[in-house]
Amino acid sequence: MTKNYIAGEWLPAAEASPNINPSNTNDIVGEYARASAIETERAIAAAFDAFPAWSRSTIQARHDTLKAVGDEILARKHELGHLLSREEGKTLPEGIGEVARAGQIFQFFAGECLRGAGEKLPSVRPSVEAEVTREPVGVIGLITPWNFPIAIPAWKIAPALAYGNTVVFKPAELVPGSAHALAEIIIRAGVPTGVFNLVMGRGAVVGEAMLSSSKVSAISFTGSVPTGRNIARTCITSGPMKKLQLEMGGKNPMVVLDDADLKLAVECAVNSAFFSTGQRCTASSRLIVTNGIHDRFVAAMQERMQGLVIDDALKAGTDVGPVVDQSQLDQDLKYISIGQAEGAKLVAGGKLLKCEAPGFYLAPALLTEVSNQMRVAREEIFGPVATVIRAKDYDEALELANDTLFGLSSGICTTSLKYASHFKRNAEAGMVMVNLPTAGVDYHVPFGGRKASSYGSREQGRYAQEFYTTVKTAYTFDGNGPYVHKANPKV
Ligand code: ADP
């Protein structure tokens, strides 16, 4: 059994669960411990006890630790990428790319450790000065999803540790392998006992224990909207108010205007909708296409989709790997049927495929004649299923793009500076892409959305400090001159 790391020790659990390769369900990656609530509480207590010392550790020590983590991840990106693709089902180049990103993120936050933050300001009162400083928050509970098994943990763990917090990390049940490998690297880099804890297990057990603990000061979560709403409710209705950062779903639009470069638009759409098997919160599932290019776009998509190789994630030449598991596959198929029942036309894919090994293979699906009111256009599917929605012109396309509960990423393909600029300004999303896929982001700039997609401050880049630090304002009267009691009487 692959163990949890709690209070400086690798510990087995009473229960374990198999980690199954979605490209070949006969291949078991390993048996991974499933922690209980009591084990989770031990991890939280260890993180709580380790916090005072770690929060005061030197920025050089933290830098060196994070740098070592980043360096080892990058040096082992092929091996770790193989493990990631094997357990999650994204293609090997995607897996290796994701691992490399995790390494870069650790290196970025190693540098951030050394960047001082704070201000010293004159007070409005005589002989008083004000200082604004940032302090670590405390024990941070990190809850991550299965679709980015190492990058999302990296972009939460690295800033948490960089800014002096201690961590209890709960990866998704489906992908404990990458999380475990990452934990080994973090521990090898020399984090003191209790500073970092890995607690694999169920959301309803491990996750809930983190939410209900008064020793946890903040929760950063990435996952579905219903779970995110539940987490928010629990975190603010009992005990101390926890800081919250929730990254949730998307129903990201990609607008294709009449003047778009057709080939580029098709590449952006195929990448956005189907790469990583469409299992990205930034995936585009609504292709909003204006009348003049609509039919040419659909025909070009059909042709391009025929050329996609759907196969074992680890095989060279695979463009799209399997869906992550049976329940996600059932959900994808259910939505394809719902769309057809609502009047959409399935013009490509949507069928189960047989490959050499038994796996969850689905040909990426394209639904046309979709209206923005249909369920397939409103609810997140989280699979290789895209809809095409017709718009009469740019104005209608923009309106449709914004007519959604979500607001994570929003894209436009156009050669018009006027429309591109207008879209950047008016898209109701946290991220806007012009002539680029809606998915695929840099790591040194903020990541996050609006509306039901995100709650709390942004992740990644320098913006991460908003969540992983808390601001303190200190006033000092220096005794040079009289203390003026009435200078600021109201506050
Ligand atoms: P996904 O569809 O990505 O699995 P979920 O929201 O179900 O989305 O899961 C995302 C993460 O949240 C996973 O690590 C999961 O175990 C965790 N989780 C699920 N339910 C809860 C819960 N009630 N409390 C805390 N964490 C949970």
Side-chain angles (χ1 to χ4, degrees):
M1 179 195 301
T2 308
K3 299 169 182 168
N4 284 313
Y5 189 75
I6 298 171
E9 282 184 276
W10 289 105
L11 297 175
E15 272 186 75
S17 58
N19 182 357
I20 298 166
N21 176 352
S23 298
N24 176 2
T25 52
N26 293 327
D27 175 32
I28 308 296
V29 181
E31 294 285 334
Y32 288 80
R34 271 194 169 172
S36 64
I38 290 170
E39 286 156 340
T40 310
E41 278 155 22
R42 279 196 58 199
I44 295 168
F48 189 79
D49 293 344
F51 176 71
W54 181 251
S55 68
R56 289 185 199 106
S57 60
T58 64
I59 54 178
Q60 186 68 51
R62 282 183 242 157
H63 165 276
D64 295 349
T65 305
L66 295 188
K67 172 82 167 46
V69 174
D71 290 351
E72 182 174 341
I73 293 173
L74 282 168
R76 293 174 55 199
K77 68 178 180 182
H78 291 101
E79 169 211 343
L80 296 170
H82 189 278
L83 169 64
L84 193 161
S85 294
R86 186 173 162 215
E87 71 174 349
E88 199 270 350
K90 64 181 63 174
T91 66
L92 191 54
E94 288 170 338
I96 294 168
E98 182 183 333
V99 170
R101 173 52 57 92
Q104 291 164 334
I105 289 167
F106 271 95
Q107 290 184 338
F108 175 87
F109 282 107
E112 285 300 288
C113 293
L114 303 176
R115 193 200 292 273
E119 291 171 276
K120 196 164 190 175
L121 307 160
S123 166
V124 294
R125 291 172 280 173
S127 301
V128 172
E129 64 181 22
E131 285 162 88
V132 182
T133 51
R134 287 187 177 272
E135 295 185 355
V137 180
V139 177
I140 313 228
L142 304 178
I143 302 175
T144 59
W146 50 260
N147 63 332
F148 283 93
I150 198 165
I152 294 180
W155 81 51
K156 295 184 192 293
I157 296 167
L161 296 179
Y163 297 118
N165 304 283
T166 56
V167 166
V168 178
F169 166 42
K170 190 207 98 58
E173 293 93 316
L174 287 176
V175 292
S178 301
H180 189 272
L182 176 60
E184 283 180 326
I185 294 171
I186 292 170
I187 291 149
R188 203 165 17 252
V191 290
T193 295
V195 169
F196 172 84
N197 301 270
L198 170 73
V199 193
M200 300 177 283
R202 292 194 183 90
V205 177
V206 175
E208 290 284 347
M210 282 161 42
L211 307 182
S212 54
S213 170
S214 58
K215 289 184 169 169
V216 173
S217 299
I219 296 282
S220 180
F221 160 85
T222 302
S224 62
V225 175
T227 308
R229 287 196 199 275
N230 258 331
I231 287 178
R233 215 170 289 126
T234 313
C235 285
I236 60 172
T237 47
S238 68
M241 305 288 280
K242 288 184 180 45
K243 248 186 133 168
L244 267 180
Q245 181 178 58
L246 310 174
E247 286 298 341
M248 298 164 286
K251 196 71 201 174
N252 308 295
M254 203 191 92
V255 169
V256 179
L257 295 186
D258 286 356
D259 66 15
D261 172 333
L262 182 62
K263 204 162 172 272
L264 176 64
V266 168
E267 278 319 301
C268 288
V270 166
N271 178 318
S272 300
F274 305 131
F275 287 177
S276 296
T277 322
Q279 299 172 152
R280 294 185 282 192
C281 47
T282 48
S284 178
S285 48
R286 293 187 301 137
L287 308 171
I288 300 170
V289 186
T290 47
N291 268 330
I293 197 171
H294 179 278
D295 295 355
R296 279 183 295 138
F297 175 79
V298 170
M301 283 292 287
Q302 286 170 303
E303 197 187 322
R304 178 71 177 85
M305 288 170 70
Q306 263 172 10
L308 289 175
V309 178
I310 297 101
D311 206 338
D312 190 316
L314 297 173
K315 250 194 202 168
T318 296
D319 293 313
V320 178
V323 171
V324 75
D325 71 351
Q326 186 64 51
S327 79
Q328 184 60 53
L329 182 63
D330 291 343
Q331 175 158 315
D332 299 345
L333 292 169
K334 181 188 87 182
Y335 272 108
I336 294 168
S337 302
I338 289 173
Q340 288 174 294
E342 285 177 311
K345 265 173 62 184
L346 180 66
V347 299
K351 305 279 184 297
L352 292 178
L353 297 175
K354 275 217 172 323
C355 295
E356 219 172 286
F360 308 112
Y361 297 104
L362 174 65
L366 191 67
L367 292 163
T368 60
E369 311 306 327
V370 171
S371 94
N372 203 42
Q373 298 313 314
M374 291 180 183
R375 282 184 66 191
V376 283
R378 302 210 81 76
E379 297 168 19
E380 188 176 45
I381 301 172
F382 218 65
V385 183
T387 63
V388 179
I389 301 168
R390 206 185 264 277
K392 70 174 188 295
D393 54 17
Y394 168 75
D395 290 336
E396 193 188 28
L398 175 66
E399 208 180 300
L400 289 166
N402 287 337
D403 177 13
T404 170
L405 182 64
F406 299 102
L408 187 57
S409 181
S410 194
I412 188 166
C413 287
T414 178
T415 51
S416 153
L417 176 63
K418 179 179 142 192
Y419 290 135
S421 303
H422 190 270
F423 191 79
K424 276 194 279 186
R425 174 67 191 83
N426 292 286
E428 292 167 5
M431 296 172 294
V432 183
M433 313 293 185
V434 178
N435 293 321
L436 284 168
T438 53
V441 295
D442 289 0
Y443 61 92
H444 63 304
V445 285
F447 176 94
R450 302 180 182 180
K451 303 198 241 176
S453 288
S454 302
Y455 184 81
S457 55
R458 291 284 187 265
E459 301 202 79
Q460 303 214 52
R462 292 181 65 186
Y463 282 71
Q465 71 171 354
E466 232 25 83
F467 180 73
Y468 292 100
T469 63
T470 182
V471 168
K472 179 177 276 173
T473 313
Y475 297 94
T476 309
F477 170 58
D478 65 16
N480 290 306
Y483 171 61
V484 182
H485 185 61
K486 280 195 250 162
N488 192 9
K490 291 218 173 90
V491 182

